[in-house]
Amino acid sequence: MRLTLIGQLVLLLLPSLAVAERITHLQIIDARQDRVAPVCCWSGVDSESDGKLLILSDQGIAFDAVLDISAESLTLTDSFDLPRGPAAGQDGERMDAEGLAVSAQGRSFVSVEGRHRIDAFDRQTLTASWPFPKSISLGDNRGFEALAIDSSDTLWAIAETSARATTPVASLVDGAWQMRARLAQTGGYLPVGADFDADGTLYILERRFWMFRFSSRLRRVDGALSDDLVTATIWESTSGELGNLEGVAVVSDRSGPLRFLMVSDDNGMPLLTPRAVLLEP
């Protein structure tokens, strides 16, 4: 059945009761002693081995946080700047940090756009940097935005690119990039975040910007991480409902229900605030 343009707009504005029942809007509590760094522009999030969380802003600021599911709150306990290394250049380039993944050893991996690369940190110490393969054409504002680390400590990266019908999926092994698979792009969505659950299943957060509104969806990868990935959509927001969600972290173990923490990038706009939501699909 074809819908008129007005009919399509009406559907976009209608609330989705099914989605509303699955989403918890978390209260963000700023308990940092030093509040010089602004709370804004969140682009990535991941769980650490001690159960706490690390949140990344695209300005290169990392936030320590604690999630309290029963209190429906996310408490920020500290923040610190990530240093820029030689790969950033000497021309005053702002660190456009997008993707975040934390290893079991506590090492943080951050994907940076502009001079596309992965930087590795031990807290506030830059320990390594790897540029992306020149064989992959990436725009200034479309890098490998979705990062995730599997149980073997392999780093996976998925590009945010709209140039083709599929986007490359790569892994970093012993300091070398390997092209491993391709992810089909459908519905105008592009990947912006990823994480593995306790069973080794990969989930990919995607974003669509249409009619000046953002919508999001979460896809599960079924099967091997090779060739053309087989996926299933397990959740999709309505347009304009949750803002610009850019980061996702699985916050469940094998014994509990599957939950996903997602954070938003408010782009530093004065009338917007960063959001943290908990999804139970």
Side-chain angles (χ1 to χ4, degrees), residues 8 11-12 41 43 73 92 108 136 169 242:
Q8 294 178 46
L11 287 178
L12 287 172
C41 316
S43 57
S73 66
S108 302
I136 299 177
V169 179
L242 296 173

Side-chain angles (χ1 to χ4, degrees), residues 194-205:
D195 200 11
F196 288 92
D197 69 10
D199 295 320
T201 300
L202 179 63
Y203 296 85
I204 302 170
L205 174 66

